[in-house]
Amino acid sequence: MSDIYPVDPDFAAHARIDRAAYARDYQASVRDPDAFWAQAAQRLDWFRAPTRVRDVSFALEDFRIRWFDDGELNASVNCLDRQLATRGDKTALLWEADDPGTAPKHVSYRELHARVCRLGNALRALGVEKGDRVTIYLPMIVEAAVAMLACARIGAVHSVVFGGFAPNSIADRVSDCASKLIITADEGLRGGRKVPLKANVDAALKLPGTDTVETVLVVRHTDATVDMQMPRDRWYDAVVDPQPAECEPERMNAEDPLFILYTSGSTGKPKGVLHTTGGYLLYASYTHEAVFDLREDDVYWCTADVGWVTGHSYIVYGPLANGATSLMFEGVPNYPDFSRFWQVIDRHKVTIFYTAPTAIRALMREGEGPVKATSRASLRLLGSVGEPINPEAWRWYYEVVGDSRCPIVDTWWQTETGGILISPLPGAIDLKPGSATLPFYGVQPALVDANGQLLEGATEGNLVITDSWPGQMRTVYGDHQRFIDTYFKAYPGMYFTGDGCRRDEDGYYWITGRVDDVINVSGHRIGTAEVESALVSHPKVAEAAVVGFPHDIKGQGIYAYVTLVAGEAESDALLKELVAHVRKEIGPIASPDFLQWAPGLPKTRSGKIMRRILRKIAENAPDQLGDTSTLADPSVVDSLVKHRHGA
Ligand code: WTA
């Protein structure tokens, strides 16, 4: 029996959606999706209203996903222009700096509109046209949102690259989509430390495949001296400030691309997940309003970085399309101290707070003191995203952070899904700590076994979604076959999420984590293959195998097994060098937590590495290794167990 936290009647009394409404509208949404989504599409402003709703087939021989495909709109108009009549002076973005001594900025819808228009004009003047790709490599500053919306305004496709990625990762992402222009800053600032963004771009642009980049726009943020290579590099303010504050928006078809966002998968290089305009914006805004029970006077804060999908959908597009006040935080939870999140909440009277379990666990470790030193009386709703939240962290979040007063929405979704698919609606669905609960309107989850058999009732299996929703990704940029192969081949006719999941007797979904070779480190997806290829790119490494293991704070950590080239000696210095090498190749988020020398790796007779065994060794569960008799050389396992890190 799991705990139940029933819907709070006071909350429900004022909520947008109550139990009856959810039950009724969910039924309607799956019974007649065309009617449901046609109605929902009216929440957007269209230049030309769609007459067609959906044209979808997940069948391999006849594959297509199209929504509202005769509609025309512009995402930036929906996020900005249409707010001006009633919300021109309302704060659209509330910026809180890394350093609490730096004054926060309140950017009104009117001001944001003007800034987006100026940049839109500047991009056009620099030759960026509809359909061109623009890479955005910025810290958490207002210009990041301005840049995304300016691309949307002129129909350019943005590709935001997380500021923690290293030059190689930037170069891969620039070359994959042949970006014409990069928007970056002199430096970023996080937890008092400087991040050399411009220098990273310079290094990336020296790598092969990046010569499509004609211009680098550089925002002055820390005022650091950076190398400017004329005529390629241009100061953002010099180019943008003189531009007019009106910019004709491009008329976009609903199925025209809005953005590409690279994410890790089981194999190979990160995939460019492509989202289109109409369905994505509709889905991001609708879920944002419903799941967060949005009200006009809310101060809404999502702590994600705009470099991840959560920042796209729930800092920028969803909230702004809803005319909300969205807080953007440049810093980190523990700077200058472990009270920072709660201080920011008090400072800006934040009412809705949305963060990741890894942050909760890290803060929980510091005890209640840093939380209780603040009031948090403004809070009315809490959210969680990015990885499963363990019930202990859930209860601490609920009781200590929310003073047992605020519902928690545990929102399950993915870069690929564009928006939240499974989550409580706080006025409608009883909560169970650790469960993402029930599907959003139109979403049809199901569980299948390894053979693709649909499973009924309370059970566990692989999570699939059996029909399309408007926010679904449309393709892998430049590789449509990879899109189909990755998501629709394992279980024909269904979208495979890559997650394992349990369904309980109340029909609630409990995500158990990835079942593929993706590691979820602090809510960031990292492909084992990426880390392995970074390791083997070191001249002294012959072979590497990487697996995830349970980590108290990060959810999962990275455990690497490395076989050296014959003749190379194992040493602590080399171990450190290899960890540093991965940071340099991919970025700090991919640093292995542990690295173990492996004179041999457990392989089948056909040469396939048995990761299952390596996972068990990393987890320190040598009694659960299972059958090792199919290994080419079973003795390597004993040696690995004996020399396990910390053994
Ligand atoms: C995991 C982040 C459990 C899951 C929005 C998924 C979660 C992957 C939850 C996607 C949650 C995300 N409970 N697991 N509430 N939210 N995940 O693409 O494994 O960065 O497949 O999107 O994170 O990560 P992504």
Side-chain angles (χ1 to χ4, degrees):
M1 255 295 291
S2 57
D3 283 1
I4 296 196
Y5 290 64
V7 170
D8 175 352
D10 290 340
F11 194 102
H14 303 281
R16 285 179 170 271
I17 300 168
D18 63 13
R19 271 181 218 281
Y22 171 68
R24 182 192 63 222
D25 291 344
Y26 181 78
Q27 283 313 320
S29 74
V30 296
R31 198 179 48 236
D32 189 354
D34 274 79
F36 182 86
W37 291 112
Q39 167 79 30
Q42 293 179 19
R43 64 183 298 111
L44 297 183
D45 266 17
W46 300 84
F47 294 134
R48 177 194 151 106
T51 63
R52 290 198 294 267
V53 178
R54 31 176 267 149
D55 178 17
V56 171
S57 163
F58 287 175
L60 297 179
E61 62 281 4
D62 182 28
F63 186 89
R64 60 192 188 278
I65 304 174
R66 301 179 63 79
W67 285 84
F68 313 111
D69 68 359
D70 63 348
E72 288 176 2
L73 76 168
N74 181 287
S76 85
V77 168
N78 276 276
C79 291
L80 302 169
D81 305 57
R82 69 163 168 164
Q83 315 295 2
L84 297 183
T86 54
R87 300 181 176 116
D89 295 319
K90 181 174 176 176
T91 300
L93 293 175
L94 204 179
W95 182 73
E96 169 78 19
D98 183 55
D99 177 351
T102 301
K105 291 180 187 157
H106 290 76
V107 182
S108 68
Y109 273 94
R110 200 181 318 286
E111 185 189 341
L112 189 61
H113 175 266
R115 288 171 69 170
V116 167
C117 285
R118 286 201 176 91
L119 178 57
N121 289 325
L123 292 174
R124 276 190 180 140
L126 290 164
V128 177
E129 292 173 6
K130 178 176 174 178
D132 285 346
R133 278 78 57 213
V134 169
T135 295
I136 300 173
Y137 182 67
L138 282 171
M140 282 289 289
I141 56 177
V142 171
E143 283 81 357
V146 172
M148 292 162 72
L149 292 165
C151 288
R153 191 157 197 96
I154 65 165
V157 183
H158 61 72
S159 162
V160 181
V161 176
F162 174 58
F165 279 122
N168 271 319
S169 301
I170 304 170
D172 283 347
R173 288 158 173 77
V174 163
S175 77
D176 184 77
C177 69
S179 271
K180 199 170 196 176
L181 183 143
I182 300 182
I183 306 176
T184 189
D186 44 12
E187 289 177 326
L189 212 48
R190 270 169 68 83
R193 285 214 296 263
K194 293 182 166 158
V195 188
L197 298 176
K198 174 61 167 60
N200 286 348
V201 169
D202 291 344
L205 293 186
K206 293 203 173 79
L207 297 170
T210 56
D211 50 6
T212 51
V213 175
E214 294 166 7
T215 310
V216 178
L217 279 184
V218 187
V219 177
R220 281 184 226 266
H221 181 47
T222 63
D223 277 329
T225 314
V226 294
D227 199 27
M228 294 293 277
Q229 187 182 311
M230 299 300 173
R232 186 194 72 187
D233 300 345
R234 312 281 296 269
W235 289 108
Y236 180 101
D237 49 6
V239 176
V240 174
D241 292 357
Q243 294 289 337
E246 293 291 338
C247 170
E248 188 61 25
E250 200 71 41
R251 282 174 81 104
M252 305 297 285
N253 181 277
E255 283 298 341
D256 280 339
L258 179 61
F259 66 84
I260 300 168
L261 185 56
Y262 287 86
T263 192
S264 297
S266 295
T267 53
K269 295 211 167 189
K271 304 181 274 274
V273 168
L274 185 119
H275 282 287
T276 57
T277 308
Y280 169 81
L281 192 65
L282 167 62
Y283 198 75
S285 71
Y286 195 3
T287 48
H288 177 258
E289 180 187 273
V291 172
F292 297 104
D293 185 45
L294 192 69
R295 296 186 201 161
E296 190 60 44
D297 57 357
D298 273 317
V299 177
Y300 162 87
W301 180 16
C302 165
T303 69
D305 191 286
V306 288
W308 309 114
V309 75
T310 308
H312 283 59
S313 301
Y314 299 114
I315 294 177
V316 179
Y317 286 112
L320 298 179
N322 290 333
T325 295
S326 180
L327 194 150
M328 251 181 118
F329 177 44
E330 185 185 21
V332 294
N334 60 352
Y335 179 81
D337 58 56
F338 284 96
S339 243
R340 186 67 191 279
F341 271 1
W342 327 124
Q343 289 158 3
V344 173
I345 288 171
D346 283 356
R347 183 179 209 176
H348 299 295
K349 302 283 177 287
V350 170
T351 56
I352 305 172
F353 179 67
Y354 188 31
T355 196
T358 186
I360 313 261
R361 288 190 299 263
L363 294 168
M364 185 171 136
R365 197 174 54 173
E366 303 302 314
E368 298 186 5
V371 191
K372 295 298 174 191
T374 62
S375 147
R376 290 154 288 105
S378 56
L379 284 177
R380 67 182 192 89
L381 181 63
L382 301 172
S384 173
V385 61
E387 46 171 326
I389 181 164
N390 47 311
E392 194 195 356
W394 194 101
R395 281 193 199 91
W396 188 85
Y397 196 22
Y398 185 81
E399 286 161 14
V400 180
V401 175
D403 286 319
S404 303
R405 180 171 38 82
C406 310
I408 298 179
V409 289
D410 175 0
T411 63
W412 174 83
W413 59 296
Q414 311 178 295
T415 305
E416 293 88 338
T417 70
I420 295 164
L421 294 196
I422 304 182
S423 168
L425 300 180
I429 298 175
D430 298 340
L431 309 174
K432 296 187 190 184
S435 172
T437 75
L438 298 172
F440 190 69
Y441 299 141
V443 174
Q444 302 189 55
L447 302 182
V448 292
D449 66 16
N451 304 318
Q453 282 301 315
L454 281 173
L455 304 169
E456 302 293 332
T459 184
E460 191 166 342
N462 289 337
L463 180 64
V464 296
I465 313 290
T466 62
D467 201 354
S468 185
W469 62 98
Q472 181 167 30
M473 74 182 281
R474 299 297 195 264
T475 193
V476 169
Y477 186 80
D479 196 349
H480 195 59
Q481 195 56 43
R482 186 172 175 199
F483 173 54
I484 296 172
D485 291 349
T486 307
Y487 302 103
F488 300 92
K489 266 234 165 99
Y491 305 112
M494 298 179 245
Y495 167 78
F496 177 42
T497 63
D499 279 322
C501 183
R502 182 167 73 80
R503 186 171 49 217
D504 71 14
E505 57 290 348
D506 297 322
Y508 275 39
Y509 289 88
W510 302 71
I511 310 296
T512 52
R514 302 289 304 194
V515 294
D516 54 8
D517 290 320
V518 171
I519 316 183
N520 191 328
V521 183
S522 302
H524 301 153
R525 279 166 68 164
I526 300 182
T528 53
E530 283 168 76
V531 185
E532 287 164 4
S533 79
L535 284 166
V536 297
S537 74
H538 190 282
K540 294 185 179 167
V541 174
E543 199 169 23
V546 168
V547 296
F549 71 98
H551 186 289
D552 284 349
I553 304 288
K554 302 182 190 178
Q556 280 189 296
I558 302 179
Y559 198 111
Y561 299 86
V562 172
T563 308
L564 292 177
V565 168
E568 293 295 344
E570 298 166 0
S571 71
D572 285 351
L574 181 56
L575 196 146
K576 289 209 183 84
E577 187 181 320
L578 293 181
V579 172
H581 181 72
V582 175
R583 293 174 75 91
K584 195 184 111 255
E585 290 290 307
I586 306 177
I589 56 169
S591 299
D593 296 86
F594 295 117
L595 197 149
Q596 176 175 351
W597 303 120
L601 290 168
K603 290 184 186 163
T604 60
R605 287 190 195 96
S606 59
K608 197 168 144 19
I609 296 175
M610 302 269 290
R611 288 162 188 288
R612 174 178 59 80
I613 292 176
L614 293 174
R615 269 186 223 115
K616 290 296 173 194
I617 299 173
E619 275 170 33
N620 202 11
D623 49 323
Q624 296 168 29
L625 293 180
D627 183 11
T628 56
S629 63
T630 55
L631 291 178
D633 176 8
S635 73
V636 299
V637 173
D638 298 336
S639 153
L640 289 177
V641 170
K642 204 158 107 221
H643 296 110
R644 179 185 175 273
H645 205 278

